[in-house]
Amino acid sequence: MTNVVLGANTLEEYLKGVNAAAVIGRVANRIAKARFTLDGVEYKLAANNGPNHIHGGSVGFAKVNWQATALPAGKREAAVQFTYLSKDARKVSGQSDGQGDLHALTDDK
């Protein structure tokens, strides 16, 4: 077995802020002045990049512990599914926000 993950060697290192191999979420860019308007309602977000909001705020998806589930492996492939239930979505939308990320490795070229 070969380690193919770019980044830290331990969970503790990731939680300290290693950005390599991070999952960006809910927003993969900056939101100017940490606010936006949707259907006439203005939403204020955490300002974590000067006056702006970037990559999901001060506790984005890269800073939480995801549940990993190994998926059935084939003869020449392996896959894992990561899931996370974001309770912070209630601050904006009034409901929880389930997220998922699937990674598969094959020897296909």
Side-chain angles (χ1 to χ4, degrees), residues 57-81:
S58 57
V59 183
F61 288 161
K63 304 270 193 268
V64 297
N65 197 5
W66 291 62
Q67 177 69 41
T69 304
L71 300 178
K75 182 177 179 181
R76 297 167 55 182
E77 63 187 21
V80 63
Q81 180 175 15

Side-chain angles (χ1 to χ4, degrees), residues 6-7 11-12 14 16 29 33 41-42 55 62-64 71 73 83 86 94-96 107-109:
L6 174 64
L11 174 61
E12 289 75 23
Y14 275 110
K16 288 180 185 176
N29 207 335
K33 299 179 183 174
V41 178
E42 182 178 69
H55 301 324
K63 304 270 193 268
V64 297
L71 300 178
T83 54
S86 175
Q95 60 188 356
S96 292
D107 64 357
D108 292 340
K109 298 188 181 354

Side-chain angles (χ1 to χ4, degrees), residues 15-108:
L15 294 176
K16 288 180 185 176
V18 173
N19 291 323
V23 175
I24 303 298
R26 297 177 178 82
V27 180
N29 207 335
R30 286 177 184 82
I31 296 178
K33 299 179 183 174
R35 64 184 71 209
F36 68 95
T37 302
L38 179 64
D39 294 332
V41 178
E42 182 178 69
Y43 296 92
K44 296 179 182 177
L45 307 170
N48 64 323
N49 180 254
N52 306 309
H53 177 90
I54 190 168
H55 301 324
S58 57
V59 183
F61 288 161
K63 304 270 193 268
V64 297
N65 197 5
W66 291 62
Q67 177 69 41
T69 304
L71 300 178
K75 182 177 179 181
R76 297 167 55 182
E77 63 187 21
V80 63
Q81 180 175 15
F82 296 98
T83 54
Y84 173 67
L85 178 61
S86 175
K87 295 177 183 150
D88 288 337
R90 293 179 183 171
K91 293 179 184 174
V92 174
S93 67
Q95 60 188 356
S96 292
D97 184 14
Q99 301 294 322
D101 205 21
L102 175 67
H103 296 269
L105 297 175
T106 70
D107 64 357
D108 292 340

